[in-house]
DNA sequence: AATCCGTGGCA
DNA sequence: TTGCCAAGGAT
């Protein structure tokens, strides 16, 4: 029998209770705000780099209204080098909406969460499940890989298909809300610790006996090639270098201070323009540049 | 639907 | 060294 809701739930719950990492956002005293911050920070960013920053944020801004009261520059500096700094700006905006329209309490309803900036299909359901114990399919890259292998017998997940992926996971969730939420956490944890992308540790897998991929003889991934994201030399690198200069100064800087970080003037200026457009950089009245919200 | 958006660790 | 990978979202 291949992995199903019947076979999966008890096995995964037992495994999770014994094996799950003791991450701070999983502690019982962590509220929806702590969970939301963790989920945004964890988007495309490893746990090890998120943990220290998460603690700083929760101590400094224990409620959405506290973060909403900070300047964008403060938020971007506190975000540091987590990457994709637009996430920080969107979280800042979301915090303001939560403070003003939701009584300073992170919503537990998926559709309400989806209406907030920076919160998509994954994050909305992750918050609903992990902070509020809701039964809803939480589909991230880990879960897609686990399902691709254990259910479909493939070497890895193909291109994401939101509707189909959520239906696959939904089929694995037990009826009980609370148990379903923990199964969602367990599926993610399984993908993160055991059913990993590079070298899955099948010997340690709680669903080994029910895994379609194992039964099929662990065939290699045969789907479409995944597009490789270059970084060196891209606008992403240049934007990162420009922003790093501004994170390191309190005072606005003249453009000459930014010009030294990258040779190619055309690309450099285009990137600075895009940062201004994205609201990650502001220009002062006298023509200097700074992180937004303070000048 | 494909592409863009940061950063750093690791094999 | 280079390429892959890490709890996605917006357009």
């Amino acid at each position: 029998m291949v992995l199903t809701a019947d076979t999966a739930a008890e096995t995964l719950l037992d495994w999770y209770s014994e094996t799950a990492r003791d991450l701070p956002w999983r502690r019982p005293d962590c509220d929806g705000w702590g969970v939301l911050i963790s989920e945004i920070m964890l988007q495309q960013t490893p746990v090890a780099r998120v943990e220290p920053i998460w603690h700083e944020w929760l101590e400094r801004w224990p409620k959405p209204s506290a973060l909403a009261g900070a300047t964008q520059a403060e938020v971007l500096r506190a975000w540091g080098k987590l990457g994709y700094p637009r996430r920080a700006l969107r979280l800042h905006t979301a915090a303001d909406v939560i403070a003003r329209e939701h009584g300073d309490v992170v919503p537990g309803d998926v559709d309400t969460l989806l209406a907030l900036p920076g919160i998509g299909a994954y994050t909305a359901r992750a918050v609903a499940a992990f902070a509020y114990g809701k039964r809803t399919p939480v589909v991230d890259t880990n879960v897609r890989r686990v399902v691709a292998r254990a259910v479909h017998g493939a070497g890895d997940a193909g291109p994401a298909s939101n509707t189909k992926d959520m239906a696959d996971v939904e089929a694995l969730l037990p009826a009980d809300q609370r148990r379903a939420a923990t199964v969602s956490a367990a599926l993610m944890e399984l993908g993160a610790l055991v059913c990993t992308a590079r070298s899955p540790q099948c010997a340690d897998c709680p669903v080994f006996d029910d895994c379609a991929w194992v039964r099929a003889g662990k065939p290699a991934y045969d789907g479409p090639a995944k597009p490789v994201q270059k970084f060196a030399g891209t606008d992403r690198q240049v934007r990162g270098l420009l922003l790093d200069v501004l994170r390191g100064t309190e005072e606005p800087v003249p453009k000459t201070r930014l010009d030294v970080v990258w040779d190619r003037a055309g690309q450099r200026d285009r990137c600075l323009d895009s940062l201004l457009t994205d609201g990650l950089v502001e220009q002062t009245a006298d023509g200097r540049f700074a992180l937004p919200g303070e000048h």
Side-chain angles (χ1 to χ4, degrees):
Chain A
M1 175 76 126
V2 142
L3 200 63
T4 65
D6 289 335
T7 59
E10 215 57 48
T11 307
L12 286 169
L13 291 171
D14 287 347
W15 175 81
Y16 186 78
S17 68
E18 294 169 11
T19 318
R21 292 165 292 179
D22 179 26
L23 300 173
W25 42 87
R26 287 177 175 166
R27 292 175 314 205
D29 63 334
C30 181
D31 65 0
W33 179 231
V35 171
L36 175 58
I37 292 178
S38 79
E39 292 301 339
I40 300 294
M41 288 183 170
L42 286 164
Q43 290 168 5
Q44 303 286 283
T45 308
V47 167
R49 285 180 26 218
V50 164
E51 235 185 296
I53 309 293
W54 182 88
H55 283 291
E56 291 174 15
W57 277 52
L58 262 292
E59 183 171 342
R60 184 171 179 180
W61 298 306
K63 293 188 303 180
S65 56
L67 179 63
T71 67
Q72 293 169 308
E74 287 173 329
V75 170
L76 288 169
R77 283 201 184 86
W79 191 259
K81 307 199 78 167
L82 278 184
Y84 294 138
R86 296 187 296 182
R87 290 182 291 167
L89 250 33
R90 289 174 181 143
L91 180 53
H92 187 230
T93 303
D96 184 58
V97 175
I98 293 167
R100 289 186 295 99
E101 301 181 11
H102 301 293
D104 217 11
V105 176
V106 173
D109 172 68
V110 169
D111 289 325
T112 309
L113 286 160
L114 282 171
L116 296 169
I119 297 185
Y122 162 76
T123 303
R125 290 171 178 79
V127 170
F130 304 150
Y132 298 102
K134 299 284 183 67
R135 181 186 187 281
T136 183
V138 180
V139 183
D140 76 331
T141 183
N142 288 309
V143 173
R144 290 187 352 92
R145 184 174 55 251
V146 168
V147 169
R149 289 177 179 158
V151 177
H152 299 303
D156 199 353
S161 168
N162 211 312
T163 307
K164 184 179 185 312
D165 293 341
M166 288 207 294
D168 283 347
V169 174
E170 154 78 33
L172 293 178
L173 299 181
D176 178 71
Q177 296 257 346
R178 208 104 211 159
R179 283 160 46 87
T182 306
V183 165
S184 291
L187 286 169
M188 289 181 61
E189 193 74 344
L190 188 62
L193 297 183
V194 175
C195 195
T196 58
R198 283 170 175 147
S199 51
Q201 307 296 304
C202 298
D204 300 327
C205 185
V207 301
F208 180 87
D209 290 336
D210 298 318
C211 179
W213 187 48
V214 168
R215 293 183 176 219
K218 299 189 184 181
Y221 173 69
D222 65 346
K226 306 184 175 187
V228 285
Q229 283 244 45
K230 296 288 185 191
F231 179 66
T234 63
D235 286 3
R236 283 201 331 289
Q237 181 183 18
V238 178
R239 286 165 54 106
L241 291 170
L242 293 170
L243 220 46
D244 200 38
V245 171
L246 299 181
R247 260 188 243 116
T249 81
E250 291 291 331
E251 272 302 291
V253 302
K255 187 161 180 300
T256 52
R257 284 281 301 280
L258 299 175
D259 287 344
V260 299
V261 305
W262 197 250
D263 280 348
R264 300 171 49 191
Q267 184 182 23
R268 203 175 58 215
D269 292 345
R270 171 160 47 81
C271 288
L272 183 54
D273 280 343
S274 72
L275 288 170
L276 289 162
T277 298
D278 289 349
L280 286 162
V281 174
E282 262 178 18
Q283 193 163 19
T284 58
D286 62 6
R288 293 177 297 162
F289 296 89
L291 293 181
E294 292 182 342
H295 300 279

